[in-house]
């Protein structure tokens, strides 16, 4: 009798990743200011961490978003005045994205709301456990990226 899919560690790893991703999205979404979606938070998080002036293409690649999905997300953030969209200095046809002051405030509010959950997470696992998981996860991501 062939083994059940649950018996394969590779299948179990991807199941766990899927469950973790769903739980993270849900936990973050519950703490966001009213009207802010998880994809919008991801864009703001990227801008806050990587810095302003990022092109939409760079954002899409970093967040693994489709161009149409990102365009919609950026339009909604811009309509709420959470981001600024400016022409690129080097090529006026290209755009650069900047967090607006209102966006920085919404992002800070989100991070503050998430802080207790992050403290609980860090209390449940050691830094060594997180570090030990990273090499495998990075190698898996790299492999998947190269074979996609």
């Amino acid at each position: 009798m062939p083994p059940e899919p649950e018996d394969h560690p590779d299948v179990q790893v991807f199941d766990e990743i899927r469950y973790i991703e769903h739980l993270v999205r849900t936990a973050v979404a519950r703490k966001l200011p009213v009207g802010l979606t998880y994809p919008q938070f991801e864009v703001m998080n990227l801008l806050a961490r990587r810095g302003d002036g990022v092109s939409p293409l760079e954002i899409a690649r970093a967040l693994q978003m489709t161009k149409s999905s990102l365009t919609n997300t950026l339009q909604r953030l811009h309509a709420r005045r959470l981001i600024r969209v400016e022409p690129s200095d080097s090529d006026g046809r290209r755009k650069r994205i900047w967090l607006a002051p209102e966006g920085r405030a919404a992002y800070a509010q989100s991070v503050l709301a998430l802080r207790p959950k992050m403290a609980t997470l860090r209390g449940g696992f050691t830094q060594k456990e997180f570090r030990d998981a990273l090499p495998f996860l990075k190698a898996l991501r790299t492999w998947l990226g190269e074979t996609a």
Side-chain angles (χ1 to χ4, degrees):
M1 174 188 237
E4 291 295 315
E6 293 81 25
D7 295 337
H8 295 284
D10 53 335
V11 173
Q12 290 176 343
V13 164
F14 286 107
D15 280 346
E16 290 302 323
I17 290 169
R18 183 175 52 83
Y19 293 138
I20 291 166
E21 193 267 344
H22 173 75
L23 292 169
V24 167
R25 279 181 172 266
T26 301
V28 170
R30 287 182 178 153
K31 299 295 183 182
L32 295 177
V34 173
L36 193 65
T37 66
Y38 185 82
Q40 293 168 348
F41 173 78
E42 282 187 307
V43 169
M44 292 176 23
N45 187 49
L46 180 91
L47 293 171
R49 295 179 70 213
R50 188 178 279 185
D52 285 321
V54 181
S55 75
L57 181 59
E58 291 168 320
I59 295 170
R61 285 182 179 157
L63 298 179
Q64 298 292 303
M65 295 176 83
T66 64
K67 185 177 176 181
S68 62
S69 176
L70 179 63
T71 298
N72 182 278
T73 300
L74 293 176
Q75 287 171 343
R76 290 174 186 265
L77 286 168
H78 189 257
R80 292 186 62 189
R81 297 185 173 158
L82 299 175
I83 62 168
R84 291 188 339 259
V85 180
E86 298 179 3
S88 172
D89 289 338
S90 61
D91 180 353
R93 295 171 298 173
R94 296 178 192 251
K95 304 291 183 206
R96 294 283 176 192
I97 310 301
W98 305 79
L99 265 179
E102 295 87 347
R104 289 193 192 289
Y107 177 74
Q109 179 184 353
S110 301
V111 170
L112 189 62
L114 290 167
R115 196 168 283 159
K117 186 75 168 177
M118 291 305 296
T120 302
L121 174 70
R122 289 182 181 121
F125 299 92
T126 66
Q127 290 298 306
K128 182 179 180 337
E129 288 172 311
F130 283 112
R131 272 191 228 95
D132 288 348
L134 284 174
F136 171 74
L137 292 172
K138 286 180 178 181
L140 181 60
R141 176 179 47 85
T142 300
W143 185 87
L144 289 169
E146 290 171 352
T147 61

